[in-house]
Amino acid sequence: MSDDHVYMTLAEGHEDDTRWAYGTGFEDPLHGVDTAVPDGVDAGELAALCVTLADDALVSAQRLAEWTTRAPELEEEVALANIGLDLLGQARLLYARAGQIDGTGRGEDAYAYFRDAGDFRNVRLAELPNGDFAFSTVRLLVFSSWRLAYFERLTAHRDPVLAAIAAKGVKELAYHRQYAAEWVVRLGDGTEESRRRTRRALEQAAPYLGELFTAYDVRDEVVAVLRQVTDAAGLPMPVYRPLPGSGRTGEHTEHLAPLLAELQGIARAHPEATW
Amino acid sequence: MVGWEVGRMDTTRSSPAGADGAEPVLQQHFDATIARDQRIEPRDWMPEGYRKTLIRQIAQHAHSEIIGMQPEGEWITRAPSLRRKAILFAKVQDEAGHGLYLYSAAETLGADRADLTDRLIEGRQKYSSIFNYPTLSFADVGVIGWFVDGAAICNQVPLCRSSYGPYARAMVRICKEESFHQRQGYELLMTMMRGTAAQREMVQDAVDRWWWPSLMMFGPPDDASPNSAQSMAWKIKRHSNDELRQRFVDMTVPQAEKLGVTLPDPELRWNDERGHHDFGTPDWDELMRVIKGDGPCNAQRTERRRTAHEEGTWVREAATAHAAKQAARAQKGAVA
């Protein structure tokens, strides 16, 4: 390899300039898909569903990004970032779809940066602080188990765009669930301390399970997965009593507004800027 | 990124020749391999000084990748567009990946990752001095890509021909990814320079703050870096600090002009006779202070790494305990 050759190419133009960092290149799952809203599909409802699913993914990705430089091991740095990047990618596609069909023509950043907490429709489970690695892992297990089951249904959605986004997401979410399940088993079985922390994490997540099960009936499927994992981990399946209110109607915990303040601060300080 | 600090050579010679007197033959073979520009591989005999110097260099490089996640990592959650968030998230993740391959390369020489991590958080091994400067605005993300990753590439591309095989191969992949990082940084700055007046000011301010520390990344001037000679002879190091610094300046000046920013050096000008740019002298006292631990963020960076490591102890212990229980259960199952 010639030093100068490799070196000089950096300063030149590149044809693959859309791929700026390793891992950000992705196949466009919407390539060749008809983006018109199919007959008989309510555009308003479809847009609201896309925003809801995007909000879940964006808020989860933001929490996963907070682990950066704080993970217990380098392999976990890489894995948690992978999962965060997948969810961020899902959010971007879903916001883009919402913008195509809700009549506003908004882009992804308008949804992410210029709506307030009360306008977000993510579940409260996603916005809770990371806590320790046990809580983050349990939360990821619950969230990815639900989202995978839900996305599997969505692959048959009448909107071909949403169906394509879901089909891409299913592959990603299967990995997220596997990663989380393996860790919950390790932590449940590992040491006295890891067992205690994981048991507590399950209890902390339990009240937030109910609001996940609002559309499509995936509850039985998700509960079966959680039972299988907690059994393998030797942990009791948590009993949940649903909390009043729901993130789905814009009722959030006190943790969402600060999360959004951090996410949106620079964009809002420079509304005229392009990045 | 490679700290020049690796120049402080471990001059320990190999252990005294064995009773069989085989060592001179092995040494000859090693010398001949180096002379032919061939690679030394993990199972090959190598002088103890070569092994130790490499472990230290690779470990410092790995530590730099891991500590280097911090200055930019803080901006992932604040990135002002989803596209920039994805790019930065992926970039910082790449750095974790680079740290992993480099620790693995060090392990092929008999080092242990956990031990190297302890050396980092106890301050017994160094990382690149550049990461001890603060990131104060989102423009810093772009300037780090352009200057810091650019300087890292200058340092690292020659290492793709390092005499130690696993290190050279790791560097090939790392350099490819670093070139994406450099271009994304430059592209961010181009976009910001086309934006608002406030954005242009942010870019110029970041350029002013990062220029001199970036020049220091190549280490002290050659006449103050006498220990590099052995590394050059072993083909662990391929070019002198001053050569690489000059190369970086010559590459960066036209890029700065295209971008429309001013590099903060009144002595910077083209020298027709030399065919290179002349430039001012970095503040070497500042470099020494930062290396000795008195930079703006040394304590903060090490503390973050220490906290993450300590808070992760129970997780790593749980994984180890689970693996041991699994193995015991499997054995019991096999016996029964």
Side-chain angles (χ1 to χ4, degrees):
Chain A
M1 177 185 302
S2 151
D3 293 1
D4 287 340
H5 172 71
V6 172
Y7 190 72
M8 292 314 292
T9 56
L10 298 173
E12 293 164 5
H14 295 268
E15 286 172 12
D16 59 346
D17 272 356
T18 49
R19 192 184 143 191
W20 288 108
Y22 188 80
T24 53
F26 60 86
E27 286 174 32
D28 180 2
L30 305 186
H31 182 74
V33 175
D34 183 0
T35 56
V37 180
D39 289 343
V41 171
D42 182 315
E45 276 177 25
L46 177 59
L49 176 59
C50 289
V51 169
T52 298
L53 295 172
D55 287 348
D56 277 344
L58 177 63
V59 170
S60 299
Q62 184 78 354
R63 287 298 186 211
L64 286 160
E66 291 173 12
W67 272 105
T68 302
T69 74
R70 294 174 174 87
E73 191 53 282
L74 296 180
E75 284 80 355
E76 273 45 67
E77 286 285 350
V78 174
L80 294 169
N82 256 332
I83 296 169
L85 278 162
D86 284 345
L87 291 170
L88 183 55
Q90 292 177 13
R92 295 180 66 189
L93 292 167
L94 289 161
Y95 285 137
R97 181 55 175 158
Q100 285 169 352
I101 55 183
D102 74 357
T104 61
R106 281 181 284 182
E108 58 180 20
D109 289 340
Y111 292 99
Y113 291 92
F114 296 95
R115 286 183 306 140
D116 294 330
D119 302 324
F120 273 71
R121 291 292 177 268
N122 59 283
V123 284
R124 290 171 294 180
L125 180 70
E127 74 206 31
L128 296 175
N130 281 338
D132 62 7
F133 188 71
F135 181 74
S136 283
T137 309
V138 163
R139 185 229 315 259
L140 182 63
L141 174 67
V142 172
F143 179 72
S144 58
S145 298
W146 168 76
R147 195 168 171 93
L148 175 59
Y150 196 69
F151 270 42
E152 279 170 347
R153 307 290 175 94
L154 289 178
T155 57
H157 198 276
R158 288 174 61 200
D159 177 31
V161 178
L162 181 55
I165 294 170
K168 177 177 191 284
V170 160
K171 293 177 205 146
E172 297 166 346
L173 292 160
Y175 162 70
H176 306 176
R177 189 180 73 175
Q178 185 193 340
Y179 174 83
E182 284 173 0
W183 265 112
V184 169
V185 170
R186 267 181 217 127
L187 296 179
D189 184 51
T191 63
E192 192 93 355
E193 181 179 12
S194 68
R195 181 178 179 75
R196 176 179 58 76
R197 286 175 181 262
T198 310
R199 190 175 176 149
R200 194 176 60 192
L202 282 162
E203 286 161 7
Q204 286 169 336
Y208 298 95
L209 261 66
E211 79 190 288
L212 286 167
F213 306 127
T214 45
Y216 287 126
D217 188 16
V218 294
R219 178 195 303 251
D220 292 348
E221 200 175 328
V222 175
V223 168
V225 169
L226 297 181
R227 193 175 300 282
Q228 195 187 339
V229 175
T230 48
D231 281 354
L235 292 164
M237 178 76 180
V239 187
Y240 66 92
R241 280 177 300 132
L243 281 180
S246 170
R248 296 294 189 223
T249 52
E251 296 160 275
H252 290 283
T253 67
E254 64 188 14
H255 305 294
L256 182 62
L259 178 149
L260 292 177
E262 182 167 334
L263 190 150
Q264 298 172 335
I266 300 175
R268 288 190 176 202
H270 301 273
E272 305 299 318
T274 45
W275 305 96
Chain B
M1 184 127 348
V2 169
W4 64 274
E5 296 90 328
V6 295
R8 277 199 302 275
M9 185 68 39
D10 196 313
T11 48
T12 324
R13 292 298 300 170
S14 31
S15 51
D20 57 2
E23 188 155 310
V25 179
L26 293 168
Q27 176 80 47
Q28 263 177 9
H29 181 73
F30 172 85
D31 292 342
T33 306
I34 298 280
R36 285 196 306 269
D37 254 341
Q38 286 179 340
R39 295 272 162 80
I40 305 296
E41 295 298 336
R43 288 170 188 279
D44 295 343
W45 183 90
M46 62 189 84
E48 213 37 42
Y50 176 88
R51 181 188 299 276
K52 286 187 176 173
T53 300
L54 265 171
I55 289 176
R56 190 179 308 170
Q57 173 167 340
I58 296 171
Q60 288 183 358
H61 189 167
H63 297 334
S64 298
E65 296 284 356
I66 298 306
I67 295 289
M69 294 167 69
Q70 292 182 30
E72 291 179 283
E74 287 304 292
W75 295 88
I76 298 170
T77 54
R78 292 179 269 176
S81 76
L82 295 185
R83 176 170 171 267
R84 292 292 170 201
K85 192 190 275 290
I87 291 170
L88 185 58
F89 206 169
K91 180 189 168 181
V92 174
Q93 183 196 33
D94 281 351
E95 287 162 3
H98 295 175
L100 271 174
Y101 330 137
L102 289 163
Y103 284 124
S104 300
E107 289 188 326
T108 65
L109 290 158
D112 169 63
R113 198 212 300 182
D115 172 59
L116 297 176
T117 301
D118 287 342
R119 286 169 190 262
L120 168 66
I121 61 186
E122 288 162 14
R124 290 186 285 133
Q125 275 182 343
K126 307 242 181 261
Y127 53 87
S128 180
S129 57
I130 193 76
F131 300 119
N132 291 315
Y133 291 86
T135 43
L136 302 180
S137 83
F138 198 71
D140 289 36
V141 167
V143 172
I144 288 175
W146 178 31
F147 285 171
V148 176
D149 295 326
I153 291 164
C154 289
N155 272 329
Q156 289 171 3
V157 166
L159 297 177
C160 298
R161 295 188 297 126
S162 164
S163 59
Y164 187 58
Y167 190 34
R169 288 187 288 272
M171 292 317 303
V172 171
R173 176 161 179 188
I174 290 174
C175 284
K176 280 186 193 157
E177 296 183 355
E178 293 290 357
S179 84
F180 280 124
H181 299 173
Q182 195 203 15
R183 286 191 285 126
Q184 64 78 27
Y186 192 69
E187 190 260 357
L188 168 60
L189 298 177
M190 285 292 248
T191 308
M192 290 182 73
M193 290 302 284
R194 288 195 296 263
T196 63
Q199 286 182 292
R200 283 189 288 278
E201 279 169 33
M202 284 162 80
V203 174
Q204 183 62 56
D205 171 64
V207 165
D208 291 346
R209 285 182 286 109
W210 288 94
W211 174 248
W212 291 109
S214 300
L215 290 188
M216 293 177 199
M217 283 175 66
F218 298 94
D222 291 347
D223 54 18
S225 185
N227 295 324
S228 299
Q230 177 66 76
S231 274
M232 299 274 270
W234 275 333
K235 296 183 183 171
I236 293 174
K237 193 175 160 110
R238 291 282 189 162
H239 300 282
S240 79
N241 297 347
D242 287 336
E243 280 168 18
L244 292 168
R245 189 168 12 249
Q246 181 71 60
R247 188 182 278 210
F248 174 73
V249 171
D250 289 341
M251 177 184 86
T252 307
V253 169
Q255 293 173 343
E257 282 165 9
K258 188 174 168 201
L259 193 58
V261 295
T262 308
L263 298 173
D265 179 359
E267 294 175 49
L268 185 65
R269 63 180 59 84
W270 176 253
N271 181 328
D272 228 3
E273 212 170 292
R274 290 204 309 124
H276 290 292
H277 292 86
D278 290 338
F279 55 99
T281 307
D283 180 350
W284 299 125
D285 292 341
E286 178 181 316
L287 176 63
M288 289 306 155
R289 282 197 303 279
V290 176
I291 285 168
K292 287 188 179 129
D294 294 328
C297 302
N298 295 58
Q300 180 187 330
R301 302 285 185 242
T302 312
E303 189 54 31
R304 165 68 66 79
R305 184 72 193 99
R306 176 199 302 280
T307 303
H309 189 68
E310 288 175 357
E311 288 182 354
T313 304
W314 71 269
V315 178
R316 295 189 301 274
E317 285 173 357
T320 308
H322 170 68
K325 286 183 189 177
Q326 286 284 78
R329 284 190 285 257
Q331 200 174 21
K332 205 173 162 189
V335 170

